[in-house]
Amino acid sequence: MRDHYCRPISIASINPQTFPGVSLYTKTGGNYVLYKPHDRQFSDLDRMRLERNFVEFLYVRTGDMEEVTKFLENGLSETLGRRDLNVWTKGQILYQTTVNYVIDVFENPEEAAKLDRCRNLIRYLLEYICSAPNSLNAIHSVADHNYYIFVHSLQVAALSLLVHDEVYRLTPDELTDVGIGALLHDLGMIFISNKILEKQDALSDVEYYKIKRHAQHGYECLKEIGGFSEISLLAVRHHHERYDGEGYPSALKGEAIPRTAQVMAICDVYSALTADRIHRQAVSHARALQIMRSEMPGSFNPELFARFEAIITARKKTEDN
Ligand SMILES: [Fe+2]
């Protein structure tokens, strides 16, 4: 089976009693092999056997994902409350469920109209991210299985929520709107051809112009779908503005840039630098901050960048210990 026909599911999220009757696959040397047919129930013995072999994920066909996603999203409250799961495993399930949502919206933007779906996920994300100092850690576990853009969307949402929660006094509804904007900030990329997105050589001026249109396109797409708050919409539209006015689409400068977009710009660049890309390898946390500080002078609100640096460095220390 080809790669994009299957999506990963954390084994911990497969509750034998309640998991939908769908076929599950393992991945061996790039190929998907049937692990259990849809009419055989997944058992505790299966789980033990897989865990003994250090298998963390099984795979579900894309066609079965709607059923599985519904099951996972409805069960999140119970999953995050379970005492037998550690922080890492809970994160793995929550992060993969969120990535699945982003994939759904990128494949079918109309899905974004079901705002309650996104709102629920953002609330769980916020609760989870703020609950434990090492809760950003499990993002790495889903990064191996998913295309960059989806994990990047999740990471920008997680970081933006964390920073907003620590720096500003926002209501839960405002924080949710921040999370929604962050999770969908690159939705406009669906209007750009894969040929440009996957190009390894330098982009031509025309190609770069097309890429730059994604911020405005994402904004227009969500505005047309309707139901999104100004906080979410403006964050999507202005996440590439730069504090010195050198950004796009509106070349806004300083405090004229909506505050959430200022935070998101920092989280976006940090996330992009610390992830492996087609044309460039990931750099370390420290190196990313150094690049942002010394090679992008004037790009970010300096006070906000200092706060970001402090928050993310404190988190990083907890993760490394
Ligand atoms: Fe972007």
Side-chain angles (χ1 to χ4, degrees), residues 29-61:
N31 291 318
Y32 294 101
V33 178
L34 184 66
Y35 179 75
K36 88 155 192 75
H38 69 96
D39 52 358
R40 178 174 84 72
Q41 211 177 20
F42 185 86
S43 68
D44 285 324
L45 199 68
D46 284 317
R47 185 201 310 283
M48 275 156 35
R49 198 182 300 135
L50 291 163
E51 279 173 0
R52 225 178 17 242
N53 290 308
F54 304 104
V55 176
E56 283 184 302
F57 289 89
L58 285 177
Y59 298 83
V60 173
R61 273 192 309 229

PDB file of all heavy atoms in Angstrom, residues 29-61:
ATOM      1  N   GLY A  29       9.925  -1.983   6.564  1.00  0.00           N
ATOM      2  CA  GLY A  29      10.763  -1.564   5.426  1.00  0.00           C
ATOM      3  C   GLY A  29      10.004  -0.722   4.416  1.00  0.00           C
ATOM      4  O   GLY A  29      10.110  -0.938   3.216  1.00  0.00           O
ATOM      5  N   GLY A  30       9.180   0.194   4.886  1.00  0.00           N
ATOM      6  CA  GLY A  30       8.457   1.096   3.988  1.00  0.00           C
ATOM      7  C   GLY A  30       7.144   0.514   3.448  1.00  0.00           C
ATOM      8  O   GLY A  30       6.396   1.198   2.773  1.00  0.00           O
ATOM      9  N   ASN A  31       6.868  -0.773   3.725  1.00  0.00           N
ATOM     10  CA  ASN A  31       5.615  -1.384   3.247  1.00  0.00           C
ATOM     11  C   ASN A  31       4.647  -1.623   4.392  1.00  0.00           C
ATOM     12  O   ASN A  31       5.061  -1.906   5.517  1.00  0.00           O
ATOM     13  CB  ASN A  31       5.904  -2.734   2.580  1.00  0.00           C
ATOM     14  CG  ASN A  31       6.646  -2.559   1.286  1.00  0.00           C
ATOM     15  OD1 ASN A  31       6.334  -1.670   0.499  1.00  0.00           O
ATOM     16  ND2 ASN A  31       7.659  -3.389   1.092  1.00  0.00           N
ATOM     17  N   TYR A  32       3.368  -1.520   4.082  1.00  0.00           N
ATOM     18  CA  TYR A  32       2.346  -1.792   5.090  1.00  0.00           C
ATOM     19  C   TYR A  32       1.917  -3.259   4.984  1.00  0.00           C
ATOM     20  O   TYR A  32       1.626  -3.747   3.900  1.00  0.00           O
ATOM     21  CB  TYR A  32       1.144  -0.879   4.896  1.00  0.00           C
ATOM     22  CG  TYR A  32       1.495   0.566   5.163  1.00  0.00           C
ATOM     23  CD1 TYR A  32       1.727   1.452   4.112  1.00  0.00           C
ATOM     24  CD2 TYR A  32       1.619   1.038   6.462  1.00  0.00           C
ATOM     25  CE1 TYR A  32       2.065   2.772   4.352  1.00  0.00           C
ATOM     26  CE2 TYR A  32       1.950   2.351   6.717  1.00  0.00           C
ATOM     27  CZ  TYR A  32       2.177   3.212   5.657  1.00  0.00           C
ATOM     28  OH  TYR A  32       2.513   4.508   5.903  1.00  0.00           O
ATOM     29  N   VAL A  33       1.915  -3.936   6.135  1.00  0.00           N
ATOM     30  CA  VAL A  33       1.550  -5.346   6.166  1.00  0.00           C
ATOM     31  C   VAL A  33       0.352  -5.488   7.100  1.00  0.00           C
ATOM     32  O   VAL A  33       0.347  -4.931   8.202  1.00  0.00           O
ATOM     33  CB  VAL A  33       2.740  -6.195   6.709  1.00  0.00           C
ATOM     34  CG1 VAL A  33       2.365  -7.669   6.787  1.00  0.00           C
ATOM     35  CG2 VAL A  33       3.976  -5.966   5.858  1.00  0.00           C
ATOM     36  N   LEU A  34      -0.666  -6.225   6.649  1.00  0.00           N
ATOM     37  CA  LEU A  34      -1.874  -6.373   7.465  1.00  0.00           C
ATOM     38  C   LEU A  34      -1.518  -7.016   8.811  1.00  0.00           C
ATOM     39  O   LEU A  34      -0.920  -8.100   8.853  1.00  0.00           O
ATOM     40  CB  LEU A  34      -2.902  -7.237   6.713  1.00  0.00           C
ATOM     41  CG  LEU A  34      -4.244  -7.390   7.418  1.00  0.00           C
ATOM     42  CD1 LEU A  34      -4.987  -6.056   7.489  1.00  0.00           C
ATOM     43  CD2 LEU A  34      -5.108  -8.432   6.706  1.00  0.00           C
ATOM     44  N   TYR A  35      -1.883  -6.347   9.888  1.00  0.00           N
ATOM     45  CA  TYR A  35      -1.629  -6.904  11.217  1.00  0.00           C
ATOM     46  C   TYR A  35      -2.873  -7.611  11.728  1.00  0.00           C
ATOM     47  O   TYR A  35      -2.799  -8.706  12.275  1.00  0.00           O
ATOM     48  CB  TYR A  35      -1.225  -5.793  12.196  1.00  0.00           C
ATOM     49  CG  TYR A  35      -0.988  -6.324  13.592  1.00  0.00           C
ATOM     50  CD1 TYR A  35       0.166  -7.037  13.899  1.00  0.00           C
ATOM     51  CD2 TYR A  35      -1.939  -6.149  14.595  1.00  0.00           C
ATOM     52  CE1 TYR A  35       0.365  -7.573  15.167  1.00  0.00           C
ATOM     53  CE2 TYR A  35      -1.750  -6.676  15.863  1.00  0.00           C
ATOM     54  CZ  TYR A  35      -0.596  -7.385  16.139  1.00  0.00           C
ATOM     55  OH  TYR A  35      -0.412  -7.913  17.386  1.00  0.00           O
ATOM     56  N   LYS A  36      -4.023  -6.942  11.555  1.00  0.00           N
ATOM     57  CA  LYS A  36      -5.277  -7.623  11.931  1.00  0.00           C
ATOM     58  C   LYS A  36      -6.393  -7.165  10.981  1.00  0.00           C
ATOM     59  O   LYS A  36      -6.496  -5.969  10.672  1.00  0.00           O
ATOM     60  CB  LYS A  36      -5.609  -7.360  13.399  1.00  0.00           C
ATOM     61  CG  LYS A  36      -6.403  -6.118  13.618  1.00  0.00           C
ATOM     62  CD  LYS A  36      -7.235  -6.083  14.835  1.00  0.00           C
ATOM     63  CE  LYS A  36      -8.187  -4.901  14.760  1.00  0.00           C
ATOM     64  NZ  LYS A  36      -9.315  -5.085  13.853  1.00  0.00           N
ATOM     65  N   PRO A  37      -7.200  -8.112  10.496  1.00  0.00           N
ATOM     66  CA  PRO A  37      -8.306  -7.712   9.607  1.00  0.00           C
ATOM     67  C   PRO A  37      -9.397  -7.003  10.405  1.00  0.00           C
ATOM     68  O   PRO A  37      -9.403  -7.085  11.640  1.00  0.00           O
ATOM     69  CB  PRO A  37      -8.819  -9.048   9.059  1.00  0.00           C
ATOM     70  CG  PRO A  37      -8.369 -10.075  10.045  1.00  0.00           C
ATOM     71  CD  PRO A  37      -7.158  -9.545  10.735  1.00  0.00           C
ATOM     72  N   HIS A  38     -10.325  -6.356   9.721  1.00  0.00           N
ATOM     73  CA  HIS A  38     -11.340  -5.544  10.408  1.00  0.00           C
ATOM     74  C   HIS A  38     -12.245  -6.365  11.319  1.00  0.00           C
ATOM     75  O   HIS A  38     -12.753  -5.883  12.315  1.00  0.00           O
ATOM     76  CB  HIS A  38     -12.184  -4.769   9.383  1.00  0.00           C
ATOM     77  CG  HIS A  38     -13.067  -5.641   8.565  1.00  0.00           C
ATOM     78  ND1 HIS A  38     -14.375  -5.861   8.869  1.00  0.00           N
ATOM     79  CD2 HIS A  38     -12.805  -6.393   7.460  1.00  0.00           C
ATOM     80  CE1 HIS A  38     -14.911  -6.691   7.991  1.00  0.00           C
ATOM     81  NE2 HIS A  38     -13.970  -7.024   7.126  1.00  0.00           N
ATOM     82  N   ASP A  39     -12.402  -7.679  11.009  1.00  0.00           N
ATOM     83  CA  ASP A  39     -13.348  -8.466  11.803  1.00  0.00           C
ATOM     84  C   ASP A  39     -12.691  -9.234  12.952  1.00  0.00           C
ATOM     85  O   ASP A  39     -13.327 -10.021  13.627  1.00  0.00           O
ATOM     86  CB  ASP A  39     -14.130  -9.422  10.892  1.00  0.00           C
ATOM     87  CG  ASP A  39     -13.218 -10.252  10.009  1.00  0.00           C
ATOM     88  OD1 ASP A  39     -11.987 -10.050  10.092  1.00  0.00           O
ATOM     89  OD2 ASP A  39     -13.717 -11.082   9.241  1.00  0.00           O
ATOM     90  N   ARG A  40     -11.396  -9.003  13.172  1.00  0.00           N
ATOM     91  CA  ARG A  40     -10.775  -9.598  14.376  1.00  0.00           C
ATOM     92  C   ARG A  40     -10.538  -8.488  15.377  1.00  0.00           C
ATOM     93  O   ARG A  40     -10.047  -7.420  15.015  1.00  0.00           O
ATOM     94  CB  ARG A  40      -9.445 -10.278  14.025  1.00  0.00           C
ATOM     95  CG  ARG A  40      -8.752 -10.859  15.269  1.00  0.00           C
ATOM     96  CD  ARG A  40      -7.511 -11.660  14.929  1.00  0.00           C
ATOM     97  NE  ARG A  40      -6.286 -10.876  14.762  1.00  0.00           N
ATOM     98  CZ  ARG A  40      -5.620 -10.293  15.769  1.00  0.00           C
ATOM     99  NH1 ARG A  40      -6.072 -10.324  16.999  1.00  0.00           N
ATOM    100  NH2 ARG A  40      -4.494  -9.615  15.513  1.00  0.00           N
ATOM    101  N   GLN A  41     -10.888  -8.742  16.626  1.00  0.00           N
ATOM    102  CA  GLN A  41     -10.708  -7.690  17.617  1.00  0.00           C
ATOM    103  C   GLN A  41      -9.241  -7.604  18.060  1.00  0.00           C
ATOM    104  O   GLN A  41      -8.555  -8.618  18.157  1.00  0.00           O
ATOM    105  CB  GLN A  41     -11.592  -7.981  18.830  1.00  0.00           C
ATOM    106  CG  GLN A  41     -12.029  -6.702  19.491  1.00  0.00           C
ATOM    107  CD  GLN A  41     -12.966  -6.953  20.657  1.00  0.00           C
ATOM    108  OE1 GLN A  41     -13.018  -8.032  21.200  1.00  0.00           O
ATOM    109  NE2 GLN A  41     -13.701  -5.939  21.027  1.00  0.00           N
ATOM    110  N   PHE A  42      -8.791  -6.374  18.270  1.00  0.00           N
ATOM    111  CA  PHE A  42      -7.447  -6.145  18.818  1.00  0.00           C
ATOM    112  C   PHE A  42      -7.501  -6.537  20.296  1.00  0.00           C
ATOM    113  O   PHE A  42      -8.399  -6.118  21.021  1.00  0.00           O
ATOM    114  CB  PHE A  42      -7.105  -4.659  18.669  1.00  0.00           C
ATOM    115  CG  PHE A  42      -5.708  -4.294  19.084  1.00  0.00           C
ATOM    116  CD1 PHE A  42      -4.654  -4.395  18.194  1.00  0.00           C
ATOM    117  CD2 PHE A  42      -5.450  -3.843  20.362  1.00  0.00           C
ATOM    118  CE1 PHE A  42      -3.366  -4.044  18.558  1.00  0.00           C
ATOM    119  CE2 PHE A  42      -4.160  -3.484  20.749  1.00  0.00           C
ATOM    120  CZ  PHE A  42      -3.117  -3.583  19.833  1.00  0.00           C
ATOM    121  N   SER A  43      -6.550  -7.346  20.744  1.00  0.00           N
ATOM    122  CA  SER A  43      -6.619  -7.831  22.134  1.00  0.00           C
ATOM    123  C   SER A  43      -5.477  -7.271  22.977  1.00  0.00           C
ATOM    124  O   SER A  43      -4.524  -6.696  22.458  1.00  0.00           O
ATOM    125  CB  SER A  43      -6.553  -9.351  22.141  1.00  0.00           C
ATOM    126  OG  SER A  43      -5.251  -9.729  21.708  1.00  0.00           O
ATOM    127  N   ASP A  44      -5.594  -7.472  24.290  1.00  0.00           N
ATOM    128  CA  ASP A  44      -4.507  -7.060  25.185  1.00  0.00           C
ATOM    129  C   ASP A  44      -3.230  -7.826  24.862  1.00  0.00           C
ATOM    130  O   ASP A  44      -2.124  -7.320  25.048  1.00  0.00           O
ATOM    131  CB  ASP A  44      -4.919  -7.285  26.645  1.00  0.00           C
ATOM    132  CG  ASP A  44      -5.922  -6.224  27.095  1.00  0.00           C
ATOM    133  OD1 ASP A  44      -5.780  -5.061  26.663  1.00  0.00           O
ATOM    134  OD2 ASP A  44      -6.848  -6.558  27.849  1.00  0.00           O
ATOM    135  N   LEU A  45      -3.403  -9.054  24.394  1.00  0.00           N
ATOM    136  CA  LEU A  45      -2.245  -9.874  24.024  1.00  0.00           C
ATOM    137  C   LEU A  45      -1.499  -9.215  22.848  1.00  0.00           C
ATOM    138  O   LEU A  45      -0.270  -9.179  22.804  1.00  0.00           O
ATOM    139  CB  LEU A  45      -2.723 -11.273  23.626  1.00  0.00           C
ATOM    140  CG  LEU A  45      -1.657 -12.358  23.649  1.00  0.00           C
ATOM    141  CD1 LEU A  45      -1.221 -12.642  25.092  1.00  0.00           C
ATOM    142  CD2 LEU A  45      -2.199 -13.640  23.016  1.00  0.00           C
ATOM    143  N   ASP A  46      -2.280  -8.671  21.891  1.00  0.00           N
ATOM    144  CA  ASP A  46      -1.682  -7.945  20.758  1.00  0.00           C
ATOM    145  C   ASP A  46      -0.816  -6.805  21.282  1.00  0.00           C
ATOM    146  O   ASP A  46       0.319  -6.615  20.869  1.00  0.00           O
ATOM    147  CB  ASP A  46      -2.779  -7.331  19.872  1.00  0.00           C
ATOM    148  CG  ASP A  46      -3.450  -8.362  19.000  1.00  0.00           C
ATOM    149  OD1 ASP A  46      -2.744  -9.201  18.438  1.00  0.00           O
ATOM    150  OD2 ASP A  46      -4.694  -8.310  18.899  1.00  0.00           O
ATOM    151  N   ARG A  47      -1.413  -6.050  22.187  1.00  0.00           N
ATOM    152  CA  ARG A  47      -0.702  -4.879  22.710  1.00  0.00           C
ATOM    153  C   ARG A  47       0.612  -5.298  23.378  1.00  0.00           C
ATOM    154  O   ARG A  47       1.664  -4.726  23.131  1.00  0.00           O
ATOM    155  CB  ARG A  47      -1.563  -4.131  23.729  1.00  0.00           C
ATOM    156  CG  ARG A  47      -0.912  -2.831  24.206  1.00  0.00           C
ATOM    157  CD  ARG A  47      -1.455  -2.357  25.512  1.00  0.00           C
ATOM    158  NE  ARG A  47      -2.902  -2.329  25.525  1.00  0.00           N
ATOM    159  CZ  ARG A  47      -3.623  -1.378  24.936  1.00  0.00           C
ATOM    160  NH1 ARG A  47      -3.040  -0.398  24.319  1.00  0.00           N
ATOM    161  NH2 ARG A  47      -4.935  -1.420  24.977  1.00  0.00           N
ATOM    162  N   MET A  48       0.521  -6.352  24.220  1.00  0.00           N
ATOM    163  CA  MET A  48       1.724  -6.801  24.932  1.00  0.00           C
ATOM    164  C   MET A  48       2.798  -7.251  23.951  1.00  0.00           C
ATOM    165  O   MET A  48       3.966  -6.937  24.088  1.00  0.00           O
ATOM    166  CB  MET A  48       1.354  -7.930  25.897  1.00  0.00           C
ATOM    167  CG  MET A  48       0.866  -7.374  27.229  1.00  0.00           C
ATOM    168  SD  MET A  48      -0.201  -8.449  28.202  1.00  0.00           S
ATOM    169  CE  MET A  48       0.366 -10.058  27.940  1.00  0.00           C
ATOM    170  N   ARG A  49       2.348  -7.970  22.932  1.00  0.00           N
ATOM    171  CA  ARG A  49       3.295  -8.480  21.935  1.00  0.00           C
ATOM    172  C   ARG A  49       3.981  -7.319  21.203  1.00  0.00           C
ATOM    173  O   ARG A  49       5.191  -7.294  21.014  1.00  0.00           O
ATOM    174  CB  ARG A  49       2.530  -9.357  20.932  1.00  0.00           C
ATOM    175  CG  ARG A  49       3.434 -10.262  20.130  1.00  0.00           C
ATOM    176  CD  ARG A  49       2.628 -11.073  19.125  1.00  0.00           C
ATOM    177  NE  ARG A  49       1.622 -11.928  19.724  1.00  0.00           N
ATOM    178  CZ  ARG A  49       0.354 -12.036  19.268  1.00  0.00           C
ATOM    179  NH1 ARG A  49      -0.042 -11.337  18.229  1.00  0.00           N
ATOM    180  NH2 ARG A  49      -0.498 -12.851  19.836  1.00  0.00           N
ATOM    181  N   LEU A  50       3.200  -6.329  20.836  1.00  0.00           N
ATOM    182  CA  LEU A  50       3.748  -5.181  20.094  1.00  0.00           C
ATOM    183  C   LEU A  50       4.685  -4.361  20.981  1.00  0.00           C
ATOM    184  O   LEU A  50       5.760  -3.944  20.550  1.00  0.00           O
ATOM    185  CB  LEU A  50       2.616  -4.300  19.564  1.00  0.00           C
ATOM    186  CG  LEU A  50       1.777  -4.932  18.447  1.00  0.00           C
ATOM    187  CD1 LEU A  50       0.461  -4.203  18.270  1.00  0.00           C
ATOM    188  CD2 LEU A  50       2.566  -4.944  17.138  1.00  0.00           C
ATOM    189  N   GLU A  51       4.257  -4.172  22.220  1.00  0.00           N
ATOM    190  CA  GLU A  51       5.106  -3.386  23.130  1.00  0.00           C
ATOM    191  C   GLU A  51       6.440  -4.081  23.394  1.00  0.00           C
ATOM    192  O   GLU A  51       7.471  -3.441  23.494  1.00  0.00           O
ATOM    193  CB  GLU A  51       4.351  -3.124  24.440  1.00  0.00           C
ATOM    194  CG  GLU A  51       3.384  -1.957  24.290  1.00  0.00           C
ATOM    195  CD  GLU A  51       2.486  -1.757  25.499  1.00  0.00           C
ATOM    196  OE1 GLU A  51       2.601  -2.521  26.474  1.00  0.00           O
ATOM    197  OE2 GLU A  51       1.662  -0.819  25.447  1.00  0.00           O
ATOM    198  N   ARG A  52       6.378  -5.410  23.480  1.00  0.00           N
ATOM    199  CA  ARG A  52       7.609  -6.174  23.681  1.00  0.00           C
ATOM    200  C   ARG A  52       8.571  -5.950  22.522  1.00  0.00           C
ATOM    201  O   ARG A  52       9.776  -5.970  22.668  1.00  0.00           O
ATOM    202  CB  ARG A  52       7.275  -7.659  23.822  1.00  0.00           C
ATOM    203  CG  ARG A  52       8.031  -8.294  24.953  1.00  0.00           C
ATOM    204  CD  ARG A  52       7.740  -9.771  25.203  1.00  0.00           C
ATOM    205  NE  ARG A  52       7.100 -10.511  24.156  1.00  0.00           N
ATOM    206  CZ  ARG A  52       5.898 -11.075  24.287  1.00  0.00           C
ATOM    207  NH1 ARG A  52       5.216 -10.929  25.395  1.00  0.00           N
ATOM    208  NH2 ARG A  52       5.381 -11.775  23.304  1.00  0.00           N
ATOM    209  N   ASN A  53       8.019  -5.718  21.352  1.00  0.00           N
ATOM    210  CA  ASN A  53       8.858  -5.486  20.160  1.00  0.00           C
ATOM    211  C   ASN A  53       9.087  -3.997  19.884  1.00  0.00           C
ATOM    212  O   ASN A  53       9.497  -3.619  18.790  1.00  0.00           O
ATOM    213  CB  ASN A  53       8.208  -6.137  18.943  1.00  0.00           C
ATOM    214  CG  ASN A  53       8.284  -7.645  19.027  1.00  0.00           C
ATOM    215  OD1 ASN A  53       9.347  -8.208  19.226  1.00  0.00           O
ATOM    216  ND2 ASN A  53       7.146  -8.298  18.921  1.00  0.00           N
ATOM    217  N   PHE A  54       8.782  -3.187  20.901  1.00  0.00           N
ATOM    218  CA  PHE A  54       8.974  -1.722  20.814  1.00  0.00           C
ATOM    219  C   PHE A  54       8.222  -1.084  19.647  1.00  0.00           C
ATOM    220  O   PHE A  54       8.675  -0.113  19.046  1.00  0.00           O
ATOM    221  CB  PHE A  54      10.476  -1.381  20.724  1.00  0.00           C
ATOM    222  CG  PHE A  54      11.267  -1.944  21.864  1.00  0.00           C
ATOM    223  CD1 PHE A  54      12.076  -3.063  21.689  1.00  0.00           C
ATOM    224  CD2 PHE A  54      11.186  -1.374  23.131  1.00  0.00           C
ATOM    225  CE1 PHE A  54      12.784  -3.601  22.753  1.00  0.00           C
ATOM    226  CE2 PHE A  54      11.884  -1.917  24.199  1.00  0.00           C
ATOM    227  CZ  PHE A  54      12.690  -3.038  24.013  1.00  0.00           C
ATOM    228  N   VAL A  55       7.089  -1.661  19.297  1.00  0.00           N
ATOM    229  CA  VAL A  55       6.253  -1.060  18.250  1.00  0.00           C
ATOM    230  C   VAL A  55       5.314  -0.077  18.936  1.00  0.00           C
ATOM    231  O   VAL A  55       4.568  -0.448  19.835  1.00  0.00           O
ATOM    232  CB  VAL A  55       5.435  -2.140  17.496  1.00  0.00           C
ATOM    233  CG1 VAL A  55       4.505  -1.499  16.471  1.00  0.00           C
ATOM    234  CG2 VAL A  55       6.376  -3.129  16.826  1.00  0.00           C
ATOM    235  N   GLU A  56       5.358   1.188  18.535  1.00  0.00           N
ATOM    236  CA  GLU A  56       4.525   2.206  19.176  1.00  0.00           C
ATOM    237  C   GLU A  56       3.284   2.558  18.352  1.00  0.00           C
ATOM    238  O   GLU A  56       2.311   3.059  18.866  1.00  0.00           O
ATOM    239  CB  GLU A  56       5.333   3.487  19.403  1.00  0.00           C
ATOM    240  CG  GLU A  56       6.287   3.405  20.573  1.00  0.00           C
ATOM    241  CD  GLU A  56       6.972   4.739  20.798  1.00  0.00           C
ATOM    242  OE1 GLU A  56       7.633   5.220  19.846  1.00  0.00           O
ATOM    243  OE2 GLU A  56       6.834   5.293  21.882  1.00  0.00           O
ATOM    244  N   PHE A  57       3.383   2.327  17.039  1.00  0.00           N
ATOM    245  CA  PHE A  57       2.287   2.740  16.152  1.00  0.00           C
ATOM    246  C   PHE A  57       1.820   1.590  15.264  1.00  0.00           C
ATOM    247  O   PHE A  57       2.628   0.774  14.807  1.00  0.00           O
ATOM    248  CB  PHE A  57       2.740   3.885  15.227  1.00  0.00           C
ATOM    249  CG  PHE A  57       2.941   5.195  15.932  1.00  0.00           C
ATOM    250  CD1 PHE A  57       4.171   5.531  16.489  1.00  0.00           C
ATOM    251  CD2 PHE A  57       1.886   6.093  16.060  1.00  0.00           C
ATOM    252  CE1 PHE A  57       4.352   6.738  17.142  1.00  0.00           C
ATOM    253  CE2 PHE A  57       2.061   7.296  16.715  1.00  0.00           C
ATOM    254  CZ  PHE A  57       3.295   7.627  17.256  1.00  0.00           C
ATOM    255  N   LEU A  58       0.534   1.547  15.021  1.00  0.00           N
ATOM    256  CA  LEU A  58      -0.005   0.738  13.929  1.00  0.00           C
ATOM    257  C   LEU A  58      -0.597   1.726  12.931  1.00  0.00           C
ATOM    258  O   LEU A  58      -0.657   2.934  13.228  1.00  0.00           O
ATOM    259  CB  LEU A  58      -1.070  -0.227  14.440  1.00  0.00           C
ATOM    260  CG  LEU A  58      -0.543  -1.447  15.225  1.00  0.00           C
ATOM    261  CD1 LEU A  58      -1.689  -2.285  15.743  1.00  0.00           C
ATOM    262  CD2 LEU A  58       0.398  -2.302  14.368  1.00  0.00           C
ATOM    263  N   TYR A  59      -1.026   1.228  11.792  1.00  0.00           N
ATOM    264  CA  TYR A  59      -1.502   2.146  10.744  1.00  0.00           C
ATOM    265  C   TYR A  59      -2.920   1.792  10.304  1.00  0.00           C
ATOM    266  O   TYR A  59      -3.302   0.620  10.287  1.00  0.00           O
ATOM    267  CB  TYR A  59      -0.527   2.106   9.553  1.00  0.00           C
ATOM    268  CG  TYR A  59       0.845   2.567   9.979  1.00  0.00           C
ATOM    269  CD1 TYR A  59       1.733   1.674  10.588  1.00  0.00           C
ATOM    270  CD2 TYR A  59       1.220   3.895   9.859  1.00  0.00           C
ATOM    271  CE1 TYR A  59       2.977   2.103  11.041  1.00  0.00           C
ATOM    272  CE2 TYR A  59       2.464   4.326  10.305  1.00  0.00           C
ATOM    273  CZ  TYR A  59       3.333   3.423  10.900  1.00  0.00           C
ATOM    274  OH  TYR A  59       4.543   3.856  11.346  1.00  0.00           O
ATOM    275  N   VAL A  60      -3.650   2.832   9.948  1.00  0.00           N
ATOM    276  CA  VAL A  60      -5.049   2.691   9.542  1.00  0.00           C
ATOM    277  C   VAL A  60      -5.176   3.250   8.132  1.00  0.00           C
ATOM    278  O   VAL A  60      -4.555   4.264   7.804  1.00  0.00           O
ATOM    279  CB  VAL A  60      -5.941   3.513  10.510  1.00  0.00           C
ATOM    280  CG1 VAL A  60      -7.378   3.534  10.037  1.00  0.00           C
ATOM    281  CG2 VAL A  60      -5.857   2.960  11.931  1.00  0.00           C
ATOM    282  N   ARG A  61      -5.975   2.586   7.286  1.00  0.00           N
ATOM    283  CA  ARG A  61      -6.196   3.114   5.929  1.00  0.00           C
ATOM    284  C   ARG A  61      -6.913   4.456   5.996  1.00  0.00           C
ATOM    285  O   ARG A  61      -7.788   4.658   6.842  1.00  0.00           O
ATOM    286  CB  ARG A  61      -7.064   2.141   5.137  1.00  0.00           C
ATOM    287  CG  ARG A  61      -6.267   1.058   4.444  1.00  0.00           C
ATOM    288  CD  ARG A  61      -7.172   0.355   3.472  1.00  0.00           C
ATOM    289  NE  ARG A  61      -8.402  -0.043   4.157  1.00  0.00           N
ATOM    290  CZ  ARG A  61      -8.934  -1.246   4.110  1.00  0.00           C
ATOM    291  NH1 ARG A  61      -8.362  -2.180   3.404  1.00  0.00           N
ATOM    292  NH2 ARG A  61     -10.055  -1.531   4.750  1.00  0.00           N
TER     293      ARG A  61
END
